[in-house]
Amino acid sequence: MTDPAHASETSAQETVARLGLGEKAALTTGADWWHTAARPEAGVPAVRLSDGPHGLRLQDGADGDHLGINGSAPATCFPPAVTLACTWDSELAGRVGDALARECLAHGVHVLLGPGINIKRSPLCGRNFEYFSEDPLLSGVLGTAWVRGLQARGVGASVKHFAANNQETGRMTVSADIDARTLREVYLPAFRRVVTEARPWTVMCAYNRVNGVHASQNPWLLTDVLRGEWGYEGLVVSDWGAVLDRAAALAAGLDLEMPSSSGTGPARVVAAVGSGELDEKDVDRSAVRVVELARKAAAHARPGAAFDPDAHHDLAREVAARGAVLLRNKDGVLPLDPAAVQRIAVVGEFARTPRYQGEGSSRVTPTRLDDALGAITRSAPAAQVSFAPGFPVDTPDGDVAALREEAVRVAAAADVTVLFLGLPPSYESEGFDREHLELPSSQTELLEAVTAVNPRTIVVLANGGVVRLSGWIDLVPAVLEGWLLGQAGGSATADLLFGRANPSGRLAETIPLRLADTPAHLGWPGENGHAAYGEGLFVGYRSYDAREAEVSFPFGHGLSYTTFAYTDLRVSCDGTGFDVTVTVTNTGERAGHEVVQVYTSAPGSRVTRPVRELRGFAAVRLEPGESRPTTVRVARSDLAHFDTAAGAWLVEGLDHRFDVGASSRDIRLTTTVAVEGDPFAPEPGPDSTLAEWFAHPVGGPALAELLRSVQESVPGGLPQEDSPWHRMMAGLRLGQLAGLPIVPVGPDDVRELVEKVRRAARG
């Protein structure tokens, strides 16, 4: 038997070479629900994987599942990605990753399944609480920091779900039909950033199909792009149960099938090799990667490791306070004075029974759980705090009218009402999508009744996806979007309400006025097994801003108990990018965080582009009156678009605009920078239009010379450039010139013109 501690003396390739085909095939399929297959005699230990991503969901024994149905060991339930994203703080995301690694090591877990970095295409996606943003840069930066924090302590990440897993409806079979530019510029960049910058131990493939091919057996996705273009060297694992054909998946580049297939997968592989359908080298390649992962996991294991649950609870509280977004604060009704003698009505069952995480495979059993009602009572010792549930949570049981009447009585007798509203667990979960953006009617009716007797009402929301605010938000002076705040969310909410923490969250997704305004609305959720991404590049704020559509709150928005001013914008350039520097000043009376957001655009681009795209950001904390120059790095490559003609990323040579502000709609400073472009022009041919020929650096002058040479032979001459006839001719194919009686250009002239451009392209 080979000692795993000395297994490095035998390379993974040598180990696999000594195994039989059946043994190699067995290595590429899970041994049970949460472990890979071990070969102790060959020095290959088992790898223990576990669900994440906002907390460890560790299951033992026969009750393992991937749906969040059965129980799990207690672990810190951090705020999910929907909340963490609103901190816009990569350092904080890295600290969460570090804490998660400590808990994994203490429980003997080698790989944590996360983070989820899919794009929020529609607010209806039932799993949006697990994803960061509608923007790929924000998702990628935070995902990279999370992975680095986790893996720096020796626990592997499993970045998911690769790729285009943007809905739960038909998630096992639906085809995400996406054009090349949209796929490259919106749905893949977050994965590319995490893969190239953080080098995750594993990447998890999605259930769905991408342009007709299941992700689990998509060689373009798993091999051409992931490995060939991005240089990924880690292991690709399936989502649990995502493999349809184990042989086809292996050939495509999927290394590890999870969970166990009870021998079906390995048998299929052996048969496929025997029939010549599958090359045994594909089996060897994936088996080597499994062995490498197993040995890496064993080398980083820390038997006897422990973590500090109190410290992690405090971190969860910090993240919750940083991630909640103050949407509205009319007349400065917040913060409340914790020392005031006042009557505070706390209304809403969520204050007593917190909604703090989403449903499904990421459901964590918390080490402890704070509720807002208790935290508010402790925070205001001089106040008289009264409570009324107002509505039942997720069940029709009980007399809703009686609950509402009780809440109205309590609110009417109070100086201020804090009303807790949100989405019940049955409204959003892994496995199904939402049907609308509305709060339950029992809650909106309660809000109307409460504000009628106490207009000084503050709303605190608990929801994993955005809810419609239009129609009721004008009834209240303040709204705190709490999203899902994790196990310490109750205390964090009290911190924010009473000013112990200054709200600093900024929206990582747009809150629309109504569902019909959302970019994907007419194509959601698809039909006949296909979801057509007809909105293209215009996802989230890219769509709203391009259409100048009114929204409830724009991407990047968030209020504070202080104010910030921006001055002195400067942009310096080097060969790899731009340093965007702005001086930020805290002009208020409280310390606080500001999130500096840098957007760019390319007016005059030859391709369709959004009017504004996030290219960098920085969270900066300032004391009252403090000023600080803040620099945001924008990589030159981030200015590129994916050119389908070139099949490559290209930066256009033109003036790019840099906008700096506090949201996509709150731009404080703007400047333009002349950027040298990448040398490329699509080679025109006989079927290219005259406009395309004139735009080509070689073809344009050559065509102009040809036309000048025949100018005298045309009665009345050729149309002038500013004439309608000239514009009409711009749409003609070059080959059509040879057939126009008014233009004496023959087929030989066209062939010579095309060949001249080809010779120039060859150099």
Side-chain angles (χ1 to χ4, degrees):
M1 178 181 295
T2 302
D3 182 357
H6 299 90
S8 60
E9 298 174 3
T10 304
S11 71
Q13 289 83 359
E14 291 173 322
T15 297
V16 169
R18 296 171 183 172
L19 299 176
L21 175 60
E23 295 171 316
K24 292 184 291 189
L27 279 179
T28 69
T29 300
D32 56 28
W33 199 264
W34 294 117
H35 295 84
T36 64
R39 302 288 309 182
E41 73 283 1
V44 183
V47 177
R48 189 181 205 180
L49 305 95
S50 187
D51 266 323
H54 57 269
L56 177 63
R57 191 176 79 96
L58 178 65
Q59 295 182 311
D60 286 308
D63 64 344
D65 73 278
H66 197 53
L67 299 173
I69 298 173
N70 297 317
S72 58
T76 306
C77 181
F78 290 96
V82 61
T83 308
L84 180 58
C86 290
T87 70
W88 291 59
D89 192 328
S90 57
E91 187 272 339
L92 193 56
R95 288 167 57 198
V96 171
D98 176 85
L100 290 169
R102 291 174 186 269
E103 299 197 18
C104 287
L105 291 171
H107 286 284
V109 170
H110 306 111
V111 175
L112 187 65
L113 305 184
I117 59 173
N118 290 105
I119 294 299
K120 297 182 181 185
R121 178 185 176 225
S122 166
L124 293 180
C125 177
R127 211 167 181 177
N128 271 357
F129 64 88
E130 279 193 66
Y131 300 145
F132 287 112
S133 178
E134 66 189 23
D135 181 80
L137 182 130
L138 182 57
S139 298
V141 170
L142 294 179
T144 295
W146 189 99
V147 171
R148 283 175 169 166
L150 184 81
Q151 295 192 165
R153 201 159 289 278
V155 175
S158 191
V159 181
K160 62 185 186 180
H161 306 88
F162 190 58
N165 186 168
N166 312 113
Q167 65 185 64
E168 294 296 282
T169 302
R171 67 173 178 159
M172 299 288 184
T173 57
V174 70
S175 175
D177 296 341
I178 315 174
D179 69 89
R181 272 197 69 196
T182 300
L183 186 58
R184 295 281 194 165
E185 295 185 27
V186 176
Y187 295 100
L188 293 184
F191 288 100
R192 181 184 64 197
R193 186 176 297 271
V194 176
V195 165
T196 58
E197 296 184 8
R199 300 191 178 279
W201 290 11
T202 73
V203 170
M204 180 191 292
C205 82
Y207 288 120
N208 53 277
R209 293 178 290 159
V210 178
N211 290 327
V213 182
H214 276 279
S216 64
Q217 51 196 57
N218 191 320
W220 178 82
L221 195 65
L222 302 184
T223 297
D224 296 350
V225 173
L226 182 60
R227 299 193 185 278
E229 295 183 19
W230 300 349
Y232 182 61
E233 296 179 348
L235 178 140
V236 177
V237 60
S238 73
D239 202 343
W240 268 232
V243 174
L244 286 80
D245 183 327
R246 186 66 192 107
L250 261 175
L254 190 139
D255 304 305
L256 176 62
E257 175 188 28
M258 289 297 293
S260 168
S261 61
S262 301
T264 301
R268 168 76 176 103
V269 169
V270 171
V273 172
S275 67
E277 178 187 353
L278 178 67
D279 194 323
E280 189 170 353
K281 291 180 180 179
D282 292 333
V283 185
D284 294 346
R285 175 200 62 209
S286 291
V288 165
R289 290 172 183 156
V290 173
V291 172
E292 290 173 339
L293 175 66
R295 290 178 176 171
K296 182 188 294 186
H300 287 89
R302 298 290 181 267
F307 69 95
D308 184 342
D310 291 335
H312 287 191
H313 186 81
D314 290 343
L315 176 58
R317 182 172 177 171
E318 179 185 354
V319 176
R322 290 285 305 282
V325 182
L326 183 60
L327 297 176
R328 178 181 173 91
N329 192 22
K330 186 178 179 181
D331 300 326
V333 66
L334 287 175
L336 302 176
D337 184 353
V341 178
Q342 57 185 323
R343 296 165 298 172
I344 301 175
V346 178
V347 176
E349 184 59 48
F350 288 133
R352 181 173 63 180
T353 308
R355 173 88 201 287
Y356 60 98
Q357 65 176 324
E359 300 298 305
S361 61
S362 66
R363 184 171 179 80
V364 177
T365 301
T367 57
R368 56 197 262 205
L369 183 60
D370 297 350
D371 67 90
L373 176 59
I376 290 172
T377 302
R378 292 188 297 272
S379 297
Q384 176 186 338
V385 179
S386 55
F387 172 72
F391 55 85
V393 174
D394 221 13
T395 68
D397 300 333
D399 189 333
V400 175
L403 291 174
R404 183 164 58 247
E405 290 172 5
E406 177 194 9
V408 169
R409 286 195 300 270
V410 169
D415 299 309
V416 62
T417 297
V418 184
L419 179 58
F420 286 79
L421 306 175
L423 296 180
S426 64
Y427 272 46
E428 53 182 355
S429 170
E430 176 183 355
F432 59 86
D433 290 321
R434 296 164 63 191
E435 297 178 358
H436 52 72
L437 301 183
E438 308 300 317
L439 289 171
S441 59
S442 61
Q443 295 186 28
T444 54
E445 291 168 2
L446 173 66
L447 182 148
E448 293 172 357
V450 165
T451 55
V453 299
N454 191 339
R456 196 163 180 255
T457 295
I458 298 158
V459 169
V460 179
L461 292 170
N463 44 289
V466 299
V467 297
R468 186 174 69 87
L469 308 177
S470 58
W472 62 259
I473 192 169
D474 290 337
L475 298 176
V476 296
V479 176
L480 180 66
E481 174 56 271
W483 303 115
L484 302 176
L485 291 179
Q487 68 178 51
S491 295
T493 299
D495 292 341
L496 293 164
L497 292 175
F498 291 99
R500 286 192 300 270
N502 190 347
S504 57
R506 303 294 184 265
L507 291 177
E509 55 190 300
T510 308
I511 300 180
L513 283 177
R514 55 181 187 156
L515 179 60
D517 295 334
T518 58
H521 179 62
L522 296 179
W524 180 274
E527 58 188 35
N528 298 323
H530 289 265
Y533 286 45
E535 67 280 5
L537 302 171
F538 296 94
V539 178
Y541 71 92
R542 288 167 166 80
S543 174
Y544 299 113
D545 289 356
R547 293 184 286 119
E548 298 182 345
E550 185 179 356
V551 298
S552 287
F553 294 99
F555 177 79
H557 169 79
L559 301 179
S560 170
Y561 295 153
T562 189
T563 53
F564 300 93
Y566 292 56
T567 57
D568 194 22
L569 172 62
R570 303 185 306 277
V571 179
S572 60
C573 313
D574 59 31
T576 61
F578 310 85
D579 286 326
V580 182
T581 302
V582 63
T583 298
V584 184
T585 303
N586 184 340
T587 56
E589 299 179 353
R590 291 174 178 262
H593 289 84
E594 174 67 323
V595 177
V596 178
Q597 303 165 38
V598 177
Y599 299 85
T600 70
S601 59
S605 172
R606 63 180 177 82
V607 297
T608 300
R609 302 192 71 164
V611 297
R612 193 171 293 114
E613 296 179 275
L614 183 71
R615 296 307 191 198
F617 58 90
V620 55
R621 186 183 188 278
L622 297 171
E623 295 295 324
E626 181 182 4
S627 293
R628 186 184 307 166
T630 301
T631 299
V632 177
R633 179 69 174 177
V634 176
R636 182 182 185 277
S637 59
D638 284 340
L639 299 185
H641 70 277
F642 186 80
D643 194 289
T644 54
W649 291 91
L650 295 177
V651 175
E652 289 185 275
L654 43 75
D655 287 347
H656 289 250
R657 191 177 73 232
F658 285 73
D659 295 330
V660 179
S663 81
S664 76
R665 297 282 178 95
D666 184 5
I667 302 303
R668 306 290 180 87
L669 299 170
T670 296
T671 189
T672 58
V673 178
V675 177
E676 184 177 349
D678 295 324
F680 172 77
E683 184 177 304
D687 290 332
S688 300
T689 66
L690 298 187
E692 291 169 335
W693 270 89
F694 279 122
H696 192 271
V698 175
L703 176 58
E705 180 182 354
L706 173 63
L707 294 178
R708 281 195 300 271
S709 70
V710 300
Q711 174 83 18
E712 297 179 358
S713 304
V714 179
L718 291 173
Q720 298 299 311
E721 289 188 10
D722 59 350
S723 70
W725 283 105
H726 188 277
R727 292 196 294 272
M728 289 176 61
M729 288 181 63
L732 294 177
R733 292 182 292 105
L734 177 67
Q736 289 178 290
L737 282 182
L740 290 179
I742 63 170
V743 181
V745 172
D748 290 341
D749 297 313
V750 170
R751 283 193 291 270
E752 174 57 28
L753 196 60
V754 171
E755 184 57 32
K756 185 174 184 178
V757 172
R758 288 176 179 168
R759 287 196 302 268
R762 292 193 294 267

